[in-house]
């Protein structure tokens, strides 16, 4: 699997679980579907970390964030501590919601901040797996040598977050399933 700087340009929007966009967009709006995909991809590519929302088996919510890398297939990877609640939630439920949201300082209207939200399936990547080292090398390239310190901590785990469905909001009344 090739992972490079262009990974941020890959679309996570092709693995939607919402069904065809044709049932959402009118014929005229469909002309702009490729533009919307491109816009959502460009928006997401500006981020190096992602907001995460999880729930545990009892339904108790947790909000967090993590730096991430993305592969050519639009899957996200996070390297997180096993002591964190979101890690336990990953393991208990196998699901996470990711959100990329426009910075408050650059938003023209705080009630209509641009955002991309993705519902993802979570799977652990075993340390012995060849992809584990490949992904952690990419983390080191993206975030520096500090990642080597985290690699040495026995509680840190690598997870793959595979988007199932999503929503891109680019303003009032401008929400599109992706």
């Amino acid at each position: 699997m090739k992972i490079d700087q262009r990974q941020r340009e890959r679309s996570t929007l092709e693995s939607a679980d919402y069904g065809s966009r044709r049932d959402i967009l009118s014929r005229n709006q469909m002309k702009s579907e490729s533009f919307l995909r491109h816009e959502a991809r460009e928006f997401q590519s500006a981020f190096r970390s992602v907001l995460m929302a999880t729930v545990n088996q009892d339904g108790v919510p947790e909000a967090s964030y993590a730096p991430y890398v993305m592969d050519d297939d639009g899957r996200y990877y996070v390297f997180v501590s096993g002591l964190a609640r979101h890690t336990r939630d990953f393991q208990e439920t196998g699901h996470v919601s990711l959100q990329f949201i426009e910075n408050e300082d650059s938003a023209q209207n705080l009630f209509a901040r641009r955002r991309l939200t993705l519902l993802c399936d979570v799977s652990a990547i075993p340390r012995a797996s060849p992809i584990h080292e490949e992904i952690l090398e990419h983390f080191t390239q993206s975030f520096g040598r500090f990642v080597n310190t985290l690699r040495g901590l026995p509680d840190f785990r690598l997870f793959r977050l595979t988007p199932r469905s999503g929503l891109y909001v680019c303003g009032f009344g401008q929400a599109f399933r992706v």
Side-chain angles (χ1 to χ4, degrees), residues 96-137:
V96 63
S97 180
L98 303 180
Q99 186 174 67
F100 301 92
I101 188 165
E102 181 179 23
N103 189 309
E104 289 182 0
D105 294 339
S106 60
Q108 291 188 12
N109 184 328
L110 289 181
F111 290 94
R113 290 164 66 188
R114 276 196 316 160
R115 56 201 175 273
L116 174 64
T117 305
L118 302 166
L119 177 59
C120 299
D121 294 324
V122 177
S123 54
I125 305 295
R127 283 187 185 262
S129 167
I131 193 171
H132 189 275
E133 282 307 307
E134 184 180 339
I135 297 297
L136 287 185
E137 280 302 316

mmCIF file of all heavy atoms in Angstrom, residues 96-137:
data_model
loop_
_atom_site.group_PDB
_atom_site.id
_atom_site.type_symbol
_atom_site.label_atom_id
_atom_site.label_comp_id
_atom_site.label_asym_id
_atom_site.label_seq_id
_atom_site.Cartn_x
_atom_site.Cartn_y
_atom_site.Cartn_z
ATOM 1 N N VAL A 96 -16.783 4.695 15.230
ATOM 2 C CA VAL A 96 -16.390 6.049 15.622
ATOM 3 C C VAL A 96 -16.973 7.015 14.602
ATOM 4 O O VAL A 96 -17.159 6.663 13.437
ATOM 5 C CB VAL A 96 -14.845 6.206 15.705
ATOM 6 C CG1 VAL A 96 -14.191 5.998 14.346
ATOM 7 C CG2 VAL A 96 -14.440 7.548 16.299
ATOM 8 N N SER A 97 -17.268 8.213 15.053
ATOM 9 C CA SER A 97 -17.658 9.288 14.154
ATOM 10 C C SER A 97 -16.506 10.282 14.136
ATOM 11 O O SER A 97 -16.007 10.683 15.188
ATOM 12 C CB SER A 97 -18.934 9.965 14.650
ATOM 13 O OG SER A 97 -19.310 11.005 13.767
ATOM 14 N N LEU A 98 -16.082 10.640 12.928
ATOM 15 C CA LEU A 98 -15.001 11.614 12.759
ATOM 16 C C LEU A 98 -15.590 12.927 12.291
ATOM 17 O O LEU A 98 -16.566 12.934 11.538
ATOM 18 C CB LEU A 98 -14.002 11.128 11.704
ATOM 19 C CG LEU A 98 -13.348 9.781 11.922
ATOM 20 C CD1 LEU A 98 -12.386 9.475 10.775
ATOM 21 C CD2 LEU A 98 -12.639 9.724 13.254
ATOM 22 N N GLN A 99 -14.977 14.023 12.736
ATOM 23 C CA GLN A 99 -15.437 15.317 12.243
ATOM 24 C C GLN A 99 -14.252 16.238 11.985
ATOM 25 O O GLN A 99 -13.336 16.351 12.796
ATOM 26 C CB GLN A 99 -16.381 16.002 13.223
ATOM 27 C CG GLN A 99 -16.971 17.281 12.629
ATOM 28 C CD GLN A 99 -18.019 17.909 13.508
ATOM 29 O OE1 GLN A 99 -17.706 18.390 14.589
ATOM 30 N NE2 GLN A 99 -19.250 17.908 13.028
ATOM 31 N N PHE A 100 -14.314 16.866 10.825
ATOM 32 C CA PHE A 100 -13.406 17.938 10.443
ATOM 33 C C PHE A 100 -14.287 19.177 10.403
ATOM 34 O O PHE A 100 -15.317 19.177 9.723
ATOM 35 C CB PHE A 100 -12.814 17.680 9.054
ATOM 36 C CG PHE A 100 -12.064 16.378 8.966
ATOM 37 C CD1 PHE A 100 -12.717 15.226 8.559
ATOM 38 C CD2 PHE A 100 -10.717 16.312 9.294
ATOM 39 C CE1 PHE A 100 -12.033 14.018 8.472
ATOM 40 C CE2 PHE A 100 -10.030 15.110 9.210
ATOM 41 C CZ PHE A 100 -10.693 13.963 8.799
ATOM 42 N N ILE A 101 -13.923 20.226 11.146
ATOM 43 C CA ILE A 101 -14.786 21.408 11.212
ATOM 44 C C ILE A 101 -13.962 22.681 11.054
ATOM 45 O O ILE A 101 -12.853 22.791 11.574
ATOM 46 C CB ILE A 101 -15.615 21.423 12.518
ATOM 47 C CG1 ILE A 101 -16.646 22.545 12.504
ATOM 48 C CG2 ILE A 101 -14.729 21.463 13.743
ATOM 49 C CD1 ILE A 101 -17.725 22.424 13.565
ATOM 50 N N GLU A 102 -14.540 23.614 10.328
ATOM 51 C CA GLU A 102 -13.902 24.894 10.060
ATOM 52 C C GLU A 102 -13.545 25.600 11.366
ATOM 53 O O GLU A 102 -14.326 25.607 12.328
ATOM 54 C CB GLU A 102 -14.872 25.758 9.240
ATOM 55 C CG GLU A 102 -14.357 27.098 8.853
ATOM 56 C CD GLU A 102 -15.371 27.866 8.014
ATOM 57 O OE1 GLU A 102 -16.582 27.577 8.083
ATOM 58 O OE2 GLU A 102 -14.930 28.776 7.289
ATOM 59 N N ASN A 103 -12.402 26.221 11.387
ATOM 60 C CA ASN A 103 -11.946 26.970 12.550
ATOM 61 C C ASN A 103 -12.898 28.130 12.831
ATOM 62 O O ASN A 103 -13.351 28.801 11.904
ATOM 63 C CB ASN A 103 -10.526 27.486 12.291
ATOM 64 C CG ASN A 103 -9.889 28.079 13.522
ATOM 65 O OD1 ASN A 103 -10.467 28.920 14.194
ATOM 66 N ND2 ASN A 103 -8.686 27.624 13.805
ATOM 67 N N GLU A 104 -13.183 28.379 14.092
ATOM 68 C CA GLU A 104 -14.082 29.475 14.463
ATOM 69 C C GLU A 104 -13.575 30.819 13.963
ATOM 70 O O GLU A 104 -14.359 31.670 13.563
ATOM 71 C CB GLU A 104 -14.256 29.538 15.982
ATOM 72 C CG GLU A 104 -15.065 28.421 16.546
ATOM 73 C CD GLU A 104 -15.260 28.542 18.052
ATOM 74 O OE1 GLU A 104 -14.757 29.513 18.672
ATOM 75 O OE2 GLU A 104 -15.922 27.654 18.617
ATOM 76 N N ASP A 105 -12.257 31.021 13.994
ATOM 77 C CA ASP A 105 -11.689 32.305 13.580
ATOM 78 C C ASP A 105 -11.896 32.613 12.104
ATOM 79 O O ASP A 105 -11.965 33.775 11.719
ATOM 80 C CB ASP A 105 -10.186 32.339 13.880
ATOM 81 C CG ASP A 105 -9.891 32.314 15.372
ATOM 82 O OD1 ASP A 105 -10.791 32.668 16.166
ATOM 83 O OD2 ASP A 105 -8.767 31.938 15.737
ATOM 84 N N SER A 106 -11.987 31.574 11.283
ATOM 85 C CA SER A 106 -12.150 31.814 9.851
ATOM 86 C C SER A 106 -13.599 31.673 9.378
ATOM 87 O O SER A 106 -13.902 31.998 8.236
ATOM 88 C CB SER A 106 -11.250 30.860 9.049
ATOM 89 O OG SER A 106 -11.582 29.531 9.333
ATOM 90 N N ALA A 107 -14.480 31.235 10.261
ATOM 91 C CA ALA A 107 -15.882 31.055 9.879
ATOM 92 C C ALA A 107 -16.586 32.409 9.810
ATOM 93 O O ALA A 107 -16.438 33.231 10.700
ATOM 94 C CB ALA A 107 -16.596 30.158 10.882
ATOM 95 N N GLN A 108 -17.349 32.607 8.747
ATOM 96 C CA GLN A 108 -18.121 33.837 8.630
ATOM 97 C C GLN A 108 -19.336 33.813 9.550
ATOM 98 O O GLN A 108 -19.813 34.854 9.973
ATOM 99 C CB GLN A 108 -18.557 34.055 7.192
ATOM 100 C CG GLN A 108 -17.391 34.387 6.299
ATOM 101 C CD GLN A 108 -17.844 34.803 4.916
ATOM 102 O OE1 GLN A 108 -19.018 35.060 4.674
ATOM 103 N NE2 GLN A 108 -16.899 34.899 4.016
ATOM 104 N N ASN A 109 -19.837 32.610 9.837
ATOM 105 C CA ASN A 109 -21.003 32.464 10.694
ATOM 106 C C ASN A 109 -20.814 31.207 11.541
ATOM 107 O O ASN A 109 -20.708 30.111 11.004
ATOM 108 C CB ASN A 109 -22.268 32.341 9.842
ATOM 109 C CG ASN A 109 -23.525 32.292 10.667
ATOM 110 O OD1 ASN A 109 -23.545 31.795 11.781
ATOM 111 N ND2 ASN A 109 -24.607 32.795 10.104
ATOM 112 N N LEU A 110 -20.774 31.362 12.852
ATOM 113 C CA LEU A 110 -20.536 30.217 13.730
ATOM 114 C C LEU A 110 -21.653 29.181 13.683
ATOM 115 O O LEU A 110 -21.448 28.028 14.035
ATOM 116 C CB LEU A 110 -20.320 30.674 15.172
ATOM 117 C CG LEU A 110 -19.000 31.396 15.426
ATOM 118 C CD1 LEU A 110 -18.880 31.776 16.901
ATOM 119 C CD2 LEU A 110 -17.822 30.551 15.000
ATOM 120 N N PHE A 111 -22.835 29.584 13.209
ATOM 121 C CA PHE A 111 -23.943 28.639 13.095
ATOM 122 C C PHE A 111 -23.881 27.819 11.804
ATOM 123 O O PHE A 111 -24.664 26.894 11.633
ATOM 124 C CB PHE A 111 -25.289 29.375 13.164
ATOM 125 C CG PHE A 111 -25.582 29.921 14.528
ATOM 126 C CD1 PHE A 111 -25.240 31.222 14.840
ATOM 127 C CD2 PHE A 111 -26.172 29.126 15.500
ATOM 128 C CE1 PHE A 111 -25.496 31.733 16.107
ATOM 129 C CE2 PHE A 111 -26.432 29.629 16.759
ATOM 130 C CZ PHE A 111 -26.084 30.932 17.068
ATOM 131 N N ALA A 112 -22.980 28.188 10.916
ATOM 132 C CA ALA A 112 -22.916 27.507 9.620
ATOM 133 C C ALA A 112 -21.470 27.164 9.251
ATOM 134 O O ALA A 112 -21.065 27.306 8.102
ATOM 135 C CB ALA A 112 -23.550 28.382 8.545
ATOM 136 N N ARG A 113 -20.697 26.712 10.227
ATOM 137 C CA ARG A 113 -19.315 26.339 9.940
ATOM 138 C C ARG A 113 -19.270 25.139 8.995
ATOM 139 O O ARG A 113 -20.041 24.200 9.138
ATOM 140 C CB ARG A 113 -18.587 25.991 11.241
ATOM 141 C CG ARG A 113 -18.346 27.210 12.100
ATOM 142 C CD ARG A 113 -17.980 26.861 13.517
ATOM 143 N NE ARG A 113 -16.692 26.188 13.624
ATOM 144 C CZ ARG A 113 -16.264 25.650 14.767
ATOM 145 N NH1 ARG A 113 -17.011 25.685 15.858
ATOM 146 N NH2 ARG A 113 -15.113 25.052 14.805
ATOM 147 N N ARG A 114 -18.361 25.182 8.037
ATOM 148 C CA ARG A 114 -18.173 24.033 7.148
ATOM 149 C C ARG A 114 -17.677 22.852 7.973
ATOM 150 O O ARG A 114 -16.872 23.017 8.892
ATOM 151 C CB ARG A 114 -17.137 24.342 6.066
ATOM 152 C CG ARG A 114 -17.703 25.059 4.914
ATOM 153 C CD ARG A 114 -16.825 25.034 3.694
ATOM 154 N NE ARG A 114 -15.423 25.293 3.973
ATOM 155 C CZ ARG A 114 -14.440 24.964 3.154
ATOM 156 N NH1 ARG A 114 -14.680 24.362 2.016
ATOM 157 N NH2 ARG A 114 -13.198 25.255 3.451
ATOM 158 N N ARG A 115 -18.169 21.654 7.601
ATOM 159 C CA ARG A 115 -17.749 20.461 8.334
ATOM 160 C C ARG A 115 -17.990 19.211 7.496
ATOM 161 O O ARG A 115 -18.890 19.171 6.658
ATOM 162 C CB ARG A 115 -18.447 20.346 9.677
ATOM 163 C CG ARG A 115 -19.961 20.361 9.598
ATOM 164 C CD ARG A 115 -20.572 20.756 10.948
ATOM 165 N NE ARG A 115 -22.006 20.895 10.896
ATOM 166 C CZ ARG A 115 -22.659 21.999 10.554
ATOM 167 N NH1 ARG A 115 -21.993 23.082 10.195
ATOM 168 N NH2 ARG A 115 -23.970 22.038 10.556
ATOM 169 N N LEU A 116 -17.177 18.226 7.758
ATOM 170 C CA LEU A 116 -17.300 16.915 7.155
ATOM 171 C C LEU A 116 -17.352 15.923 8.301
ATOM 172 O O LEU A 116 -16.456 15.897 9.147
ATOM 173 C CB LEU A 116 -16.096 16.625 6.248
ATOM 174 C CG LEU A 116 -16.009 15.229 5.645
ATOM 175 C CD1 LEU A 116 -17.191 14.964 4.706
ATOM 176 C CD2 LEU A 116 -14.690 15.054 4.911
ATOM 177 N N THR A 117 -18.417 15.143 8.353
ATOM 178 C CA THR A 117 -18.598 14.147 9.402
ATOM 179 C C THR A 117 -18.695 12.777 8.750
ATOM 180 O O THR A 117 -19.444 12.607 7.789
ATOM 181 C CB THR A 117 -19.877 14.433 10.220
ATOM 182 O OG1 THR A 117 -19.804 15.782 10.715
ATOM 183 C CG2 THR A 117 -20.011 13.484 11.390
ATOM 184 N N LEU A 118 -17.926 11.817 9.279
ATOM 185 C CA LEU A 118 -17.874 10.473 8.707
ATOM 186 C C LEU A 118 -18.144 9.434 9.785
ATOM 187 O O LEU A 118 -17.550 9.483 10.865
ATOM 188 C CB LEU A 118 -16.488 10.213 8.103
ATOM 189 C CG LEU A 118 -16.036 11.183 7.023
ATOM 190 C CD1 LEU A 118 -14.550 11.029 6.758
ATOM 191 C CD2 LEU A 118 -16.845 10.967 5.762
ATOM 192 N N LEU A 119 -19.028 8.506 9.498
ATOM 193 C CA LEU A 119 -19.253 7.357 10.370
ATOM 194 C C LEU A 119 -18.318 6.259 9.896
ATOM 195 O O LEU A 119 -18.333 5.900 8.709
ATOM 196 C CB LEU A 119 -20.699 6.891 10.307
ATOM 197 C CG LEU A 119 -21.034 5.651 11.138
ATOM 198 C CD1 LEU A 119 -20.739 5.883 12.615
ATOM 199 C CD2 LEU A 119 -22.475 5.258 10.931
ATOM 200 N N CYS A 120 -17.499 5.733 10.803
ATOM 201 C CA CYS A 120 -16.466 4.766 10.421
ATOM 202 C C CYS A 120 -16.554 3.481 11.227
ATOM 203 O O CYS A 120 -16.946 3.488 12.399
ATOM 204 C CB CYS A 120 -15.078 5.354 10.659
ATOM 205 S SG CYS A 120 -14.721 6.843 9.727
ATOM 206 N N ASP A 121 -16.147 2.392 10.582
ATOM 207 C CA ASP A 121 -15.909 1.122 11.260
ATOM 208 C C ASP A 121 -14.457 1.128 11.723
ATOM 209 O O ASP A 121 -13.574 1.647 11.020
ATOM 210 C CB ASP A 121 -16.144 -0.056 10.318
ATOM 211 C CG ASP A 121 -17.606 -0.161 9.893
ATOM 212 O OD1 ASP A 121 -18.494 0.122 10.726
ATOM 213 O OD2 ASP A 121 -17.849 -0.531 8.734
ATOM 214 N N VAL A 122 -14.208 0.558 12.887
ATOM 215 C CA VAL A 122 -12.876 0.561 13.489
ATOM 216 C C VAL A 122 -12.319 -0.850 13.519
ATOM 217 O O VAL A 122 -13.020 -1.788 13.898
ATOM 218 C CB VAL A 122 -12.933 1.106 14.940
ATOM 219 C CG1 VAL A 122 -11.568 1.045 15.602
ATOM 220 C CG2 VAL A 122 -13.486 2.521 14.970
ATOM 221 N N SER A 123 -11.055 -0.984 13.135
ATOM 222 C CA SER A 123 -10.375 -2.277 13.283
ATOM 223 C C SER A 123 -8.954 -2.032 13.784
ATOM 224 O O SER A 123 -8.285 -1.081 13.362
ATOM 225 C CB SER A 123 -10.375 -3.062 11.972
ATOM 226 O OG SER A 123 -9.836 -2.292 10.932
ATOM 227 N N ALA A 124 -8.528 -2.881 14.709
ATOM 228 C CA ALA A 124 -7.175 -2.783 15.264
ATOM 229 C C ALA A 124 -6.181 -3.371 14.276
ATOM 230 O O ALA A 124 -6.473 -4.349 13.588
ATOM 231 C CB ALA A 124 -7.104 -3.533 16.593
ATOM 232 N N ILE A 125 -5.003 -2.770 14.198
ATOM 233 C CA ILE A 125 -3.916 -3.278 13.367
ATOM 234 C C ILE A 125 -2.896 -3.912 14.321
ATOM 235 O O ILE A 125 -2.276 -3.199 15.123
ATOM 236 C CB ILE A 125 -3.236 -2.147 12.552
ATOM 237 C CG1 ILE A 125 -4.258 -1.382 11.721
ATOM 238 C CG2 ILE A 125 -2.111 -2.712 11.708
ATOM 239 C CD1 ILE A 125 -4.930 -2.175 10.637
ATOM 240 N N PRO A 126 -2.720 -5.217 14.277
ATOM 241 C CA PRO A 126 -1.776 -5.883 15.195
ATOM 242 C C PRO A 126 -0.340 -5.401 14.991
ATOM 243 O O PRO A 126 0.082 -5.128 13.864
ATOM 244 C CB PRO A 126 -1.903 -7.368 14.825
ATOM 245 C CG PRO A 126 -3.144 -7.481 14.029
ATOM 246 C CD PRO A 126 -3.392 -6.162 13.392
ATOM 247 N N ARG A 127 0.408 -5.310 16.075
ATOM 248 C CA ARG A 127 1.807 -4.869 16.010
ATOM 249 C C ARG A 127 2.638 -5.744 15.075
ATOM 250 O O ARG A 127 3.557 -5.264 14.434
ATOM 251 C CB ARG A 127 2.440 -4.863 17.398
ATOM 252 C CG ARG A 127 2.031 -3.683 18.232
ATOM 253 C CD ARG A 127 2.837 -3.639 19.532
ATOM 254 N NE ARG A 127 2.368 -2.569 20.384
ATOM 255 C CZ ARG A 127 2.954 -1.376 20.449
ATOM 256 N NH1 ARG A 127 4.023 -1.130 19.740
ATOM 257 N NH2 ARG A 127 2.461 -0.450 21.245
ATOM 258 N N ALA A 128 2.331 -7.023 15.013
ATOM 259 C CA ALA A 128 3.111 -7.951 14.191
ATOM 260 C C ALA A 128 2.790 -7.831 12.704
ATOM 261 O O ALA A 128 3.485 -8.404 11.872
ATOM 262 C CB ALA A 128 2.859 -9.383 14.662
ATOM 263 N N SER A 129 1.772 -7.082 12.363
ATOM 264 C CA SER A 129 1.352 -6.933 10.970
ATOM 265 C C SER A 129 2.340 -6.063 10.199
ATOM 266 O O SER A 129 2.799 -5.034 10.715
ATOM 267 C CB SER A 129 -0.033 -6.292 10.946
ATOM 268 O OG SER A 129 -0.362 -5.854 9.669
ATOM 269 N N PRO A 130 2.675 -6.430 8.958
ATOM 270 C CA PRO A 130 3.577 -5.597 8.149
ATOM 271 C C PRO A 130 3.033 -4.178 7.934
ATOM 272 O O PRO A 130 3.802 -3.227 7.887
ATOM 273 C CB PRO A 130 3.671 -6.334 6.809
ATOM 274 C CG PRO A 130 3.194 -7.711 7.067
ATOM 275 C CD PRO A 130 2.279 -7.648 8.257
ATOM 276 N N ILE A 131 1.731 -4.051 7.830
ATOM 277 C CA ILE A 131 1.151 -2.727 7.606
ATOM 278 C C ILE A 131 1.341 -1.826 8.835
ATOM 279 O O ILE A 131 1.405 -0.607 8.708
ATOM 280 C CB ILE A 131 -0.337 -2.815 7.202
ATOM 281 C CG1 ILE A 131 -0.798 -1.467 6.667
ATOM 282 C CG2 ILE A 131 -1.196 -3.271 8.351
ATOM 283 C CD1 ILE A 131 -2.163 -1.480 6.057
ATOM 284 N N HIS A 132 1.449 -2.420 10.025
ATOM 285 C CA HIS A 132 1.663 -1.657 11.255
ATOM 286 C C HIS A 132 2.907 -0.789 11.116
ATOM 287 O O HIS A 132 2.861 0.426 11.358
ATOM 288 C CB HIS A 132 1.768 -2.611 12.448
ATOM 289 C CG HIS A 132 1.764 -1.930 13.766
ATOM 290 N ND1 HIS A 132 2.917 -1.410 14.338
ATOM 291 C CD2 HIS A 132 0.764 -1.679 14.643
ATOM 292 C CE1 HIS A 132 2.610 -0.884 15.504
ATOM 293 N NE2 HIS A 132 1.310 -1.022 15.715
ATOM 294 N N GLU A 133 4.016 -1.387 10.730
ATOM 295 C CA GLU A 133 5.265 -0.636 10.582
ATOM 296 C C GLU A 133 5.179 0.385 9.458
ATOM 297 O O GLU A 133 5.682 1.499 9.587
ATOM 298 C CB GLU A 133 6.437 -1.584 10.360
ATOM 299 C CG GLU A 133 6.915 -2.237 11.637
ATOM 300 C CD GLU A 133 7.220 -1.227 12.747
ATOM 301 O OE1 GLU A 133 8.005 -0.276 12.497
ATOM 302 O OE2 GLU A 133 6.682 -1.383 13.856
ATOM 303 N N GLU A 134 4.542 0.005 8.364
ATOM 304 C CA GLU A 134 4.398 0.917 7.232
ATOM 305 C C GLU A 134 3.620 2.172 7.631
ATOM 306 O O GLU A 134 4.026 3.297 7.312
ATOM 307 C CB GLU A 134 3.683 0.199 6.089
ATOM 308 C CG GLU A 134 3.555 1.012 4.836
ATOM 309 C CD GLU A 134 2.846 0.246 3.731
ATOM 310 O OE1 GLU A 134 2.801 -1.000 3.773
ATOM 311 O OE2 GLU A 134 2.327 0.913 2.824
ATOM 312 N N ILE A 135 2.533 1.993 8.343
ATOM 313 C CA ILE A 135 1.711 3.134 8.759
ATOM 314 C C ILE A 135 2.458 3.979 9.787
ATOM 315 O O ILE A 135 2.433 5.210 9.727
ATOM 316 C CB ILE A 135 0.344 2.662 9.320
ATOM 317 C CG1 ILE A 135 -0.462 1.939 8.232
ATOM 318 C CG2 ILE A 135 -0.442 3.831 9.895
ATOM 319 C CD1 ILE A 135 -0.833 2.783 7.042
ATOM 320 N N LEU A 136 3.145 3.335 10.721
ATOM 321 C CA LEU A 136 3.881 4.111 11.721
ATOM 322 C C LEU A 136 5.043 4.883 11.100
ATOM 323 O O LEU A 136 5.387 5.971 11.569
ATOM 324 C CB LEU A 136 4.354 3.217 12.856
ATOM 325 C CG LEU A 136 3.229 2.758 13.789
ATOM 326 C CD1 LEU A 136 3.788 1.974 14.967
ATOM 327 C CD2 LEU A 136 2.384 3.917 14.290
ATOM 328 N N GLU A 137 5.626 4.358 10.041
ATOM 329 C CA GLU A 137 6.648 5.117 9.309
ATOM 330 C C GLU A 137 6.026 6.382 8.720
ATOM 331 O O GLU A 137 6.633 7.450 8.730
ATOM 332 C CB GLU A 137 7.289 4.271 8.212
ATOM 333 C CG GLU A 137 8.344 3.326 8.718
ATOM 334 C CD GLU A 137 9.475 4.029 9.439
ATOM 335 O OE1 GLU A 137 9.966 5.083 8.947
ATOM 336 O OE2 GLU A 137 9.874 3.541 10.516
#
